[in-house]
Amino acid sequence: MERTSIGRFRCGDEHCPEHSLVLPRLGGKDVLVDFDQSVLDRETTLASEASSVVERGSWRTVMRRVVDGTNPYVAMFARMMLDGVKRDQGSGPKTIVMFGAGEKGYGTEPLYEDADVRIVAFDIYASPEVTFVADAHNVPLKDASVDGVWLQGVLECVVDPRQVVAEASRIVKPGGFMFTDTSFMFPLCERAYDFNRWSPSGLRWLFRDFTVVASGQSTGPGTMAALAIRYLFQSLLRSTKLGQIAAFPFVALRLLDRFCWDRRALDASVGMFMFGRKAARPIDVDQLIAYYDEQPVLFATTRRLARDATLRSALAGTSMV
């Protein structure tokens, strides 16, 4: 991509058949999508002004956080990523790319508030939070050009998660940082646009190009039980709202998550997360199998990080290349 004299973008390859065409700008954001290589449809995107096809609003976000729970470790990993990228002695500004960030993820405030790190956020729809509109299956950034990638609540809603993670791996520098938080046993959250779920080992294989520093469950069996009861009541009462009201007393089951951090909790959690760094080579199948026994240790590391600033600093600065 290159900017024209009027500040708009076009294909930077002189041999590209669309080199002379200025890319569209919708909702106040540049649309950096190669529609010939994208899961997005050009006509639909242009006709909708790159708006979200899913209804969104602050009250829905608040309700999800109150009823469904949140990952209490996100802000900690955000600060660790900031600490890590700032230690890199390479030249130029430090850049962290936020995948699917049309809405700011819970706990990501430290990333957006740090003036010393450039945040590049994108999504398939235009919003005040994004730098540009793009398809995560084909990210318009150069190889090994960014210091960190952040994929929070995204992989459930992409058509080809392997391609998306391959793009994240491609654009991040060797030794660069990665954070992902995604669903395991969570019910559908984006309706017709919700496609994927992962076990802990499945998520590890997806990010096989990275060394995992810490991992664990974002919300556990207590939250899963509360969700199951809510959906049971919604189904029995044939009403989403009535089911939510009837199941509200069971939200207290979420409090049990804080006591669930053993092997069984990891096998039956609502969501999983991993924090790591780009490795010199991907893991193999034997290492994947071994990861199952490593999971409780990595989750214990996460809990230690939450109360040990010295360990956080040490792990953020450890070379993984």
Side-chain angles (χ1 to χ4, degrees), residues 38-295:
S38 175
V39 299
L40 299 177
D41 178 73
R42 182 193 300 269
E43 286 70 28
T44 302
T45 301
L46 297 181
S48 69
E49 289 287 315
S51 60
S52 175
V53 298
V54 177
E55 184 180 355
R56 303 179 188 279
S58 57
W59 73 269
R60 291 177 181 271
T61 301
V62 171
M63 283 299 295
R64 283 201 305 268
R65 292 173 181 175
V66 171
V67 177
D68 299 337
T70 55
N71 186 340
Y73 303 106
V74 173
M76 176 186 75
F77 286 122
R79 288 188 287 270
M80 285 184 64
M81 185 175 288
L82 288 170
D83 185 16
V85 301
K86 289 179 182 180
R87 295 190 191 192
D88 182 5
Q89 299 302 311
S91 60
K94 307 307 177 186
T95 303
I96 296 172
V97 175
M98 315 292 286
F99 281 60
E103 293 181 317
K104 288 182 180 179
Y106 176 82
T108 59
E109 291 82 4
L111 297 172
Y112 289 93
E113 293 170 358
D114 195 304
D116 297 326
V117 173
R118 180 173 61 185
I119 297 299
V120 174
F122 72 88
D123 210 320
I124 60 172
Y125 66 94
S127 85
E129 310 302 339
V130 300
T131 310
F132 50 76
V133 174
D135 180 356
H137 298 83
N138 189 11
V139 181
L141 295 172
K142 295 180 180 179
D143 295 358
S145 60
V146 306
D147 302 279
V149 288
W150 190 275
L151 300 93
Q152 183 181 4
V154 173
L155 294 173
E156 309 95 302
C157 304
V158 299
V159 174
D160 188 348
R162 292 172 180 80
Q163 176 63 22
V164 170
V165 175
E167 283 291 274
S169 178
R170 176 185 66 80
I171 66 173
V172 75
K173 299 174 183 177
F177 290 82
M178 170 277 294
F179 176 78
T180 186
D181 189 351
T182 192
S183 298
F184 179 15
M185 293 190 173
F186 198 89
L188 291 183
C189 56
E190 294 281 312
R191 301 181 182 178
Y193 301 93
D194 193 321
F195 309 113
N196 307 288
R197 294 293 182 272
W198 287 272
S199 67
S201 294
L203 188 64
R204 180 67 187 99
W205 187 245
L206 194 63
F207 285 86
R208 54 187 173 273
D209 289 338
F210 294 83
T211 297
V212 175
V213 175
S215 67
Q217 60 183 31
S218 51
T219 50
T223 298
M224 185 181 70
L227 285 169
I229 291 171
R230 189 178 88 203
Y231 275 77
L232 172 63
F233 280 125
Q234 288 175 344
S235 179
L236 290 173
L237 298 173
R238 306 294 192 272
S239 169
T240 297
K241 290 184 178 180
L242 289 177
Q244 289 174 331
I245 294 170
F248 191 77
F250 296 93
V251 171
L253 288 170
R254 285 183 38 228
L255 299 176
L256 297 176
D257 284 346
R258 68 183 62 185
F259 305 107
C260 301
W261 52 51
D262 65 353
R263 171 75 271 166
R264 288 167 293 278
L266 293 167
D267 288 344
S269 60
V270 172
M272 304 300 303
F273 65 85
M274 292 193 309
F275 178 79
R277 303 188 68 176
K278 179 71 178 293
R281 61 186 63 85
I283 64 169
D284 57 28
V285 174
D286 288 339
Q287 291 170 301
L288 172 65
I289 301 302
Y291 178 71
Y292 183 78
D293 291 328
E294 295 169 4
Q295 291 167 28

